[in-house]
Amino acid sequence: MEILPYKYYRLYITKSAAGGNGYFSMNTFSMFETNESTTDLCIGATATASSNYNASTDAPKAIDNNASTYWETASTSGDKWFKVELPTARKVRKLIITATNYQDEMPSAFIFQGSNDNINWTNLKTVNRGTFNSPTSYTELLSTVVGGKSVLDSGDPSLKVILFNWQTMQYIIHTTPNASGDWFIYLNDTSDVLITHIGPAGYQPISDGPITPMVY
């Protein structure tokens, strides 16, 4: 499935690193548009949460670009959520979560969700890291770079590379290879992908059929 842009993103948290669901806390929560990007989309955004321990540990403290502040929930048991509203809808492909000094409160199991109306939510990734004492931060990638080479028997690159779900034959996305025939696409699900190469009439891919993509 192709990565789509959303204005609202939410962590629906069910377990902490200690395995409980009382307190949760994060020193920093960061989102990035690409796996390689260092520009945190959360800077300048708005954060809210299902609960805050007190005013000095409310949700905005996790995205204020200040390592000395943090967000912590109230102690009530049950699932919690942490939400970020971006100024405009953006694609998110990478998350980084950093623990507070209370590392056992770090979110360990959660669903990362996106929405454009703050009402209807789409599940983007389900994470369950179990219980742990380290690391003090971790990265979750929402997409994988899928790519390969698409060259025709003429030596020229193909016109397009089209990806389908091979079981349903549903169109996923397409791209245009570069002058050398190299191509890549970000996908958040690389299972059951069929690659089709389109060239001018009379030419065929030198692979003589679909190429299995490389997953990075």
Side-chain angles (χ1 to χ4, degrees):
M1 185 169 61
E2 182 185 2
I3 296 290
L4 299 175
Y6 293 100
K7 181 175 174 63
Y8 302 90
Y9 288 93
R10 182 172 71 178
L11 290 184
Y12 187 83
I13 311 167
T14 57
K15 293 291 183 183
S16 68
N21 64 353
Y23 288 106
F24 294 103
S25 64
M26 295 186 294
N27 179 227
T28 59
F29 175 75
S30 302
M31 303 190 301
F32 302 87
E33 199 156 23
T34 69
N35 297 356
E36 302 80 17
S37 175
T38 58
T39 301
D40 185 357
L41 297 177
C42 292
I43 304 301
T46 301
T48 54
S50 54
S51 68
N52 303 297
Y53 184 74
N54 56 40
S56 64
T57 61
D58 59 1
K61 301 299 191 299
I63 63 168
D64 63 0
N65 202 28
N66 184 343
S68 65
T69 61
Y70 61 93
W71 166 65
E72 186 176 27
T73 67
S75 61
T76 53
S77 63
D79 300 344
K80 311 290 196 307
W81 54 262
F82 177 88
K83 182 172 64 180
V84 174
E85 178 184 353
L86 300 177
T88 59
R90 302 288 291 271
K91 296 181 179 182
V92 171
R93 295 188 173 95
K94 182 174 70 173
L95 309 176
I96 298 179
I97 297 175
T98 303
T100 67
N101 290 333
Y102 310 111
Q103 188 172 333
D104 59 348
E105 297 177 0
M106 190 177 187
S108 172
F110 59 84
I111 303 172
F112 184 59
Q113 302 171 308
S115 174
N116 278 316
D117 60 8
N118 200 23
I119 298 173
N120 300 291
W121 294 89
T122 299
N123 293 344
L124 304 177
K125 184 166 187 176
T126 299
V127 174
N128 189 347
R129 288 177 166 259
T131 58
F132 56 86
N133 295 318
S134 63
T136 57
S137 69
Y138 60 79
T139 299
E140 289 289 343
L141 300 180
L142 275 74
S143 63
T144 303
V145 181
V146 177
K149 186 176 286 289
S150 183
V151 179
L152 304 173
D153 53 9
S154 64
D156 297 318
S158 62
L159 297 181
K160 287 183 180 179
V161 175
I162 306 176
L163 278 65
F164 297 89
N165 181 297
W166 72 269
Q167 292 197 38
T168 65
M169 294 310 297
Q170 181 178 3
Y171 166 83
I172 300 174
I173 195 173
H174 71 272
T175 190
T176 301
N178 65 18
S180 300
D182 299 316
W183 63 274
F184 72 90
I185 293 174
Y186 283 103
L187 292 178
N188 63 353
D189 184 0
T190 58
S191 61
D192 302 329
V193 174
L194 172 68
I195 313 298
T196 301
H197 308 265
I198 305 298
Y203 295 95
Q204 295 181 350
I206 59 174
S207 65
D208 194 27
I211 297 175
T212 301
M214 295 179 290
V215 178
Y216 302 92

